[in-house]
Amino acid sequence: MESLLIKGGVPLHGEVNVSGAKNAVLPILAATLLTSEPCVIHGVPELSDVGFMGEILKSLGAEVRQEGDTITVRAAKVKGVGDYDLIRKMRGSICILGPLLGRLHRARVSLPGGCIIGPRPIDLHLKGLRELGARITIEEGYVRACAPRLAGTDIFLGGRVGPTVLGTANLMMAAVLAEGVTTIQSAACEPEVVDLADFLNAMGARISGLGSPTLTITGVSELHGVEHRVIPDRIEAATYAIAAAATHGEVTLLGARPDHMHAVLDKLREAGVKVERRGTALTIRRGGRLKPVDVTTLPYAGFPTDVQAQMMALMTLTPGISIITERIFESRFMHVSELTRLGADISIEGPSAIVKGGRPLSGAPVMASDLRASAALVIGGLAAKGATQVKRIYHLDRGYERLDDKLRKLGARVERVEES
Ligand code: EPZ
C-alpha cells in the first residue's frame, strides 16, 4: 500500500491547473444511462472514484471509453441491476438509482455502505422516488424500485440538516422522463447539481430554477446524446489555496471558478490571506500573520463541509483560538487526532472543534481516514518541520488528481512510497 512522504517547510510557489469536479462528473456519468445515444464528457479527472463509476456503468451494460480527460458512454441497452460490490463500495454510485428508474421504470441497486464521516441515510432519496410513484423495498442489501408509471408531483426534499446533494440529483434524473411536472422544494443548490441540470437540459430535458431551492422539471418522452465539459473542482481549488496559505507561499489556480468559492475565499480573506482574481486565474498569497477565524459548515452557498478539515489544518498554524463547527456530517472530525499527532492543540466539544493555534507542527507518521481528512494531513505535513508520512493515500486518489505531481510542480518535497 502506498503512502506519501512529505518533507515540510517549503513555501509553495507557481501555477496549478484545477481539475474537473469529482462531485459533478459522478452524477453526470450516471445521467448517461438516460439515453441510448452516445454522451461525450470532457474535463473528466483521473480519479479512482471515476474509474469505479465507469466499471459500474459497464456492469449495467453500457460501453465506456476513456481517452485522456474525455469519457464517451453509450448506454444503448442497460440492465436494471449493477455489480453489488462495486456499487456498495462507492457511496456516490447511489445516483444510478434515479436514471435507471427514469429509463427502465425498475432498478435494483445495493445499499451504499457505511461511511466514517457519519451515518449517511438515503431516506430522502427514497421518499422522493416514492412520491413520483415508485414502489420501493429494501431486500438482501438491495434497494429494489419499480414504477409502472412515474408521475410528476410536488416534493419537499429538506432533511435534518437541510437539502441533500445526491438526493436532488437522483430525483432530477428520475423526474426528467416522468409524466407531467415535478417541483422539488428545498433542492440542493451546489454548483455540481447545476452542472448536472445543465447536462440534462442539453440532452433535451426541461429543468428550470437551477441553483435555487425550487427546481421545476417538466417531463419529456426521451433524451438524446450530448457533449459536455465538467465544471472545475471548487474543493480541489480550495485545498491548494489553503496549502499555499499554510506554507507562506503564493499559488495561482488556473481554471478555477471563484464564483463557486465565495464562502471559502471570504474566510481566507478574513484570516488575512491575500486573494487576487485575474480572469479565471486566482492567486492566493500568504500576507502577514494569520488571524483565527470561526467556521461553520453549511449547505451551499455556505462554507462547504468538504473544506472543513483543510481549514482546520490552517487554523492549527494560526496563533489564537478558532472554533470549527460541523453541521452537515456529525462525525467528520477523524483528522483531529492525526493533526494532534503533528503537534496541533485541538479539543472537541459536541459539533465543534476548538483549535488553539500557533504551535509549530512537527512531522510524524499519520493515518488517512477519509478523502478530505487526508487532504488536511497533507497540508499539515507541508507546513510541519521535518518529515510526515501520510498512510493509506488511496483515500486521496479517490478525489485528488495527481496530487503529488501537482505539489512537486509547486516546489513541495513530496514522494509516493510503499508503506513500511
Ligand atoms: C455529497 O454527498 C458529496 N458527495 C459529499 O462530498 C459532500 O460532503 C456532501 O454532498 C455535502 O455537500 C458527492 O457528491 C459524491 P448529502 P451526499 O445527501 O449527496 C443527510 C467528498 O468529500 N441526508 O447532501 O451523499 C446526510 O446524512 C464527499 O467529496 C439524510 O439525512 O450528501 C448529511 O448529514 C464527502 N438523508 C446531509 O443530509 C438522505 O436521504 C447532507 O448529505 C440524504 C442525506
Side-chain angles (χ1 to χ4, degrees):
M1 209 184 296
E2 284 187 319
S3 59
L4 215 53
L5 191 59
I6 306 169
K7 298 205 178 77
V10 179
L12 299 183
H13 274 287
E15 297 180 335
V16 63
N17 286 308
V18 177
S19 301
K22 167 182 81 82
N23 291 347
V25 80
L26 294 180
I28 285 174
L29 283 171
T32 63
L33 295 167
L34 286 162
T35 178
S36 56
E37 295 181 10
C39 295
V40 182
I41 303 155
H42 301 290
V44 176
E46 201 187 308
L47 303 171
S48 52
D49 274 12
V50 171
F52 270 140
M53 188 55 107
E55 291 310 309
I56 290 169
L57 294 179
K58 284 182 195 158
S59 79
L60 291 163
E63 290 160 42
V64 181
R65 215 179 49 249
Q66 177 146 16
E67 279 153 60
D69 71 351
T70 295
I71 287 189
T72 304
V73 180
R74 184 150 182 265
K77 282 200 174 48
V78 272
K79 298 181 293 183
V81 187
D83 181 294
Y84 185 91
D85 283 325
L86 269 176
I87 296 170
R88 194 175 57 76
K89 255 194 237 144
M90 183 178 71
R91 287 198 55 82
S93 59
I94 190 65
C95 61
I96 65 172
L97 186 56
L100 286 177
L101 199 57
R103 176 154 172 202
L104 303 176
H105 288 210
R106 60 183 165 76
R108 205 151 69 96
V109 172
S110 44
L111 266 176
C115 182
I116 203 161
I117 66 176
R120 296 178 69 181
I122 57 167
D123 55 315
L124 296 169
H125 300 232
L126 304 185
K127 170 183 177 267
L129 294 174
R130 282 193 176 102
E131 290 181 25
L132 279 178
R135 267 200 314 280
I136 296 187
T137 53
I138 310 284
E139 296 159 15
E140 298 148 10
Y142 279 99
V143 177
R144 176 196 286 271
C146 69
R149 178 171 170 269
L150 287 173
T153 182
D154 297 343
I155 300 168
F156 177 75
L157 211 56
R160 273 166 317 109
V161 291
T164 161
V165 173
L166 289 180
T168 303
N170 252 332
L171 260 292
M172 258 199 311
M173 291 191 275
V176 284
L177 292 175
E179 293 163 28
V181 178
T182 300
T183 57
I184 303 179
Q185 302 294 349
S186 187
C189 307
E190 271 67 4
E192 295 78 23
V193 173
V194 173
D195 200 26
L196 172 64
D198 283 336
F199 180 78
L200 292 167
N201 279 346
M203 293 171 86
R206 293 173 56 197
I207 310 172
S208 58
L210 281 53
S212 84
T214 303
L215 291 173
T216 305
I217 302 146
T218 306
V220 296
S221 56
E222 62 173 0
L223 296 171
H224 52 75
V226 71
E227 195 157 349
H228 179 85
R229 176 165 290 281
V230 179
I231 57 171
D233 196 319
R234 62 192 169 102
I235 308 297
E236 184 203 27
T239 304
Y240 283 102
I242 292 172
T247 59
H248 297 260
E250 175 166 340
V251 169
T252 297
L253 306 165
L254 300 176
R257 285 274 305 260
D259 56 319
H260 291 167
M261 302 171 67
H262 288 305
V264 173
L265 299 178
D266 182 59
K267 273 294 161 196
L268 288 177
R269 286 193 191 95
E270 189 188 328
V273 178
K274 303 283 176 250
V275 178
E276 227 174 277
R277 283 180 68 162
R278 279 194 223 105
T280 62
L282 199 54
T283 299
I284 309 293
R285 187 165 49 79
R286 165 72 171 266
R289 193 182 152 91
L290 289 181
K291 289 184 294 252
V293 293
D294 296 342
V295 170
T296 298
T297 64
L298 292 166
Y300 190 84
F303 192 95
T305 173
D306 296 346
V307 184
Q308 177 256 97
Q310 300 91 314
M311 198 65 186
M312 188 186 291
L314 184 66
M315 289 299 110
T316 66
L317 303 159
T318 306
I321 306 253
S322 45
I323 300 176
I324 309 242
T325 302
E326 176 55 56
R327 290 269 178 243
I328 307 293
F329 293 110
E330 293 89 339
S331 20
R332 198 170 204 175
F333 284 140
M334 300 302 292
H335 39 286
V336 169
S337 56
E338 297 305 294
L339 285 171
T340 307
R341 209 178 285 284
L342 296 176
D345 181 347
I346 309 168
S347 53
I348 307 255
E349 295 290 335
S352 299
I354 293 130
V355 183
K356 296 194 184 90
R359 197 195 287 172
L361 300 184
S362 56
V366 290
M367 187 73 77
S369 55
D370 63 83
L371 171 57
R372 308 304 172 183
S374 37
L377 300 180
V378 170
I379 292 170
L382 290 167
K385 202 158 71 20
T388 294
Q389 183 177 10
V390 182
K391 297 189 172 180
R392 298 192 185 163
I393 53 167
Y394 58 82
H395 288 291
L396 275 169
D397 295 333
R398 288 191 41 228
Y400 291 95
E401 185 176 43
R402 294 192 308 282
L403 177 102
D404 49 321
D405 287 349
K406 289 189 179 186
L407 285 174
R408 269 192 296 277
K409 280 213 190 81
L410 295 171
R413 293 178 295 179
V414 174
E415 59 176 318
R416 257 171 210 265
V417 293
E418 274 311 312
E419 255 171 45
S420 48

